Amino acid sequence: MSRTRTALLAALALVAGASGTALAVTPGDVGLAAVPCAVDYKVQNQWDTGFTAAVTITNNTAAKSSWSLKWSYAGNQKVTNFWNSKISQSGTAVTAANESYNGTLATGGSVSFGFQGTYSGTNALPTTFTLDGVTCNVDGGTGPTDPGPTDPGTPGTRVDNPYAGAKVYVNPEWSANAAAEPGGSRVSNQPTGVWLDRIASINGTGGKMGLRAHLDEALKQKGSGELVVQLVIYDLPGRDCSALASNGELGPTEIDKYKTQYIDPIAAILADPKYASLRIVDTVELDSLPNLVTNVTPRPTATANCDTMKANGNYVKGVGYALNKLGDAANVYNYVDAGHHGWLGWDDNFSATVQTIKQAATAEGATVNDVQGFITNTANYSALKEQNFTINDSVNGKSVRESKWVDWNRYVDELSYAQAFRQEAVNQGFPSGVGMLIDTSRNGWGGSARPTGPGAMTDVDTYVNGGKLDRRIHVGNWCNQSGAGLGERPKASPAAGIDAYVWIKPPGESDGSSSAIANDEGKGFDRMCDPTYTGNPRNNNNMSGALANAPLSGHWFSAQFQELMKNAYPAL
């Protein structure tokens, strides 16, 4: 079943003729036993003087505890920045070595890293790669490189980072809503999550596409390359026990219905061989497990509903069951919700949340190997990177941690929190290769209100409030926030330990209604979505900061979409 070398080279020539900016060097489908290692090198973006590249290594020999990949350029390319590896360069020769967290490379396992470089003239691709001295992409690891077509993975084999070298599915329903807005065509081609937020959504309801319809459309978008489909698994019994706007259809005790009528049908569809060539990312049960840490007795933020869900164990059982069943398909990647820094960044929340997630990841037949990563900031607004102050700053002898905004949190933005969360998960027994996703759909905070530098050094509050990019009234505010903007566009491997920036929450879809609206979707009215609400202990009794005239959660909110575009950062 191996292609001949002639056929492989012919395929490469055809690809090269079609695109001079993005090309993979892979082993095609030659036998794994004959190819000791495979390297997929893709130029993701290229401009006049620079480029970004993604590299995936697959090891087909004995497991490794560390690795070193070498290649040489034919031109004058220079690596200037890198992530998920340590890169050094001498002349045209480049060496990429593992970071401390991704040195383990199992037999059949993969690892991905990325970098940015400069060039002039032509940006010719390297032709030979060696992993620990062994030549990759060729039978036996010796002789000239045997390049193949652009297929960095065999269907049914998980890669280290599903986003590396892949397009991401554009939901045509969201895209149509965005394109119908004035100026919306600027972002309507961006990939967003498909929310399976009730049983009826699996087959489609209210004229909307069901799961199979989305996957069939994804196959059309895929073409000959790799494509990621992002699904939101979101229908736990007693869902969102600390909120009302996103309460679900299942009661606290309906765990069997969750398993048999929700997870089992989804798992059956994902296991269909028809979809084996897709990379399917499941973001699993948002805003669930962290509630069992922060919103239960004796915390002042406790709710009776969260106490019930902790007592009956159905959040842990439900997430464990979902991870086990959905993870059976080798092309499915499970990312578990990890809240956001403004919820879980305090010492008494941080490690305890990882412990709770691990409890779920080892329940109902699941193991930690069913978790490919975690996702933070989903449907939230926390700034990706606070540029005007750090957690280590002080003013007049007072740490920024003492400011009212930071309030003794150890993190001030999502990137630092996500990277620390990943490390804590590894420390507690999750695989060393787990990655992080950060939802950047609404955390841009651009526009005229965006600070251009640090605040005045008068006192610690003036300093933080004057410079912080996140313009919310309080970090606990979460519903349809006024002044928010689109954040970083979706991209793969943007920083160390981060698999991708994603838009899981589709911009323009409401977080909840501003006033009570009768509905058959199980969605209640949460005062945090009411702009006149003066708050509760979870936002330290501040105003909600919500936009007025919002529809039910998940429904299109034109005024919000327009504001998100106006305040986008980077600007549209």
Side-chain angles (χ1 to χ4, degrees), residues 45-135:
N45 298 290
Q46 182 168 305
W47 54 99
D48 290 344
T49 59
F51 67 101
T52 60
V55 181
T56 298
I57 306 167
T58 301
N59 172 42
N60 299 320
T61 57
K64 298 175 180 291
S65 59
S66 63
W67 51 264
S68 176
L69 183 73
K70 296 184 178 182
W71 70 88
S72 293
Y73 286 115
N76 57 6
Q77 295 95 327
K78 296 291 183 184
V79 175
T80 57
N81 190 26
F82 46 88
W83 45 93
N84 294 341
S85 72
K86 299 172 183 175
I87 295 182
S88 59
Q89 184 170 359
S90 176
T92 61
V94 179
T95 300
N98 62 276
E99 291 278 10
S100 59
Y101 55 80
N102 64 358
T104 301
L105 193 50
T107 303
S110 297
V111 64
S112 298
F113 61 90
F115 63 90
Q116 183 174 341
T118 61
Y119 77 101
S120 61
T122 59
N123 186 18
L125 297 168
T127 58
T128 302
F129 299 88
T130 60
L131 180 64
D132 299 330
V134 176
T135 304

Side-chain angles (χ1 to χ4, degrees), residues 145-388:
T145 303
D146 189 3
T150 54
D151 182 7
T154 302
T157 301
R158 288 197 183 98
V159 296
D160 179 69
N161 178 1
Y163 290 86
K167 297 185 297 184
V168 187
Y169 175 63
V170 177
N171 181 345
E173 294 179 317
W174 176 83
S175 182
N177 284 333
E181 293 282 345
S185 60
R186 293 173 294 175
V187 295
S188 59
N189 65 338
Q190 293 292 346
T192 54
V194 174
W195 287 59
L196 303 174
D197 59 357
R198 46 189 173 140
I199 292 169
S201 66
I202 300 171
N203 293 321
T205 182
K208 288 193 171 184
M209 298 166 66
L211 177 55
R212 281 195 179 275
H214 280 293
L215 295 178
D216 289 341
E217 173 63 21
L219 289 174
K220 296 176 185 176
Q221 292 185 20
K222 179 180 183 295
S224 61
E226 297 296 327
L227 185 132
V228 171
V229 180
Q230 303 174 125
L231 305 179
V232 179
I233 307 301
Y234 189 54
D235 200 26
L236 272 180
R239 190 179 75 193
D240 282 8
C241 59
S242 68
L244 295 174
S246 47
N247 285 164
E249 63 186 347
L250 301 180
T253 63
E254 293 187 281
I255 185 66
D256 290 338
K257 189 174 182 180
Y258 174 79
K259 292 177 177 180
T260 60
Q261 297 186 34
Y262 180 69
I263 293 298
D264 287 354
I266 294 173
I269 293 171
L270 299 189
D272 188 331
K274 178 181 182 181
Y275 306 121
S277 66
L278 298 172
R279 296 178 181 178
I280 298 170
V281 166
D282 292 331
T283 54
V284 178
E285 293 299 353
L286 314 174
D287 296 339
S288 58
L289 296 173
N291 276 306
L292 303 183
V293 175
T294 66
N295 294 318
V296 294
T297 303
R299 297 290 186 94
T301 53
T303 70
N305 289 340
C306 290
D307 282 340
T308 295
M309 298 317 299
K310 183 165 186 176
N312 67 25
N314 284 342
Y315 275 9
V316 168
K317 294 173 187 175
V319 171
Y321 189 84
L323 292 173
N324 180 25
K325 292 296 182 180
L326 299 175
D328 285 345
N331 61 317
V332 171
Y333 300 76
N334 290 322
Y335 288 77
V336 181
D337 180 62
H340 57 92
H341 89 276
W343 181 7
L344 303 175
W346 285 269
D347 291 346
D348 52 356
N349 300 343
F350 188 73
S351 294
T353 297
V354 178
Q355 293 170 14
T356 301
I357 293 175
K358 187 177 181 183
Q359 182 186 2
T362 52
E364 300 289 317
T367 75
V368 292
N369 292 320
D370 288 313
V371 178
Q372 280 69 56
F374 307 90
I375 182 168
T376 76
N377 205 46
T378 306
N380 210 269
Y381 299 85
S382 296
L384 180 65
K385 178 67 176 173
E386 287 289 0
Q387 298 173 348
N388 296 323

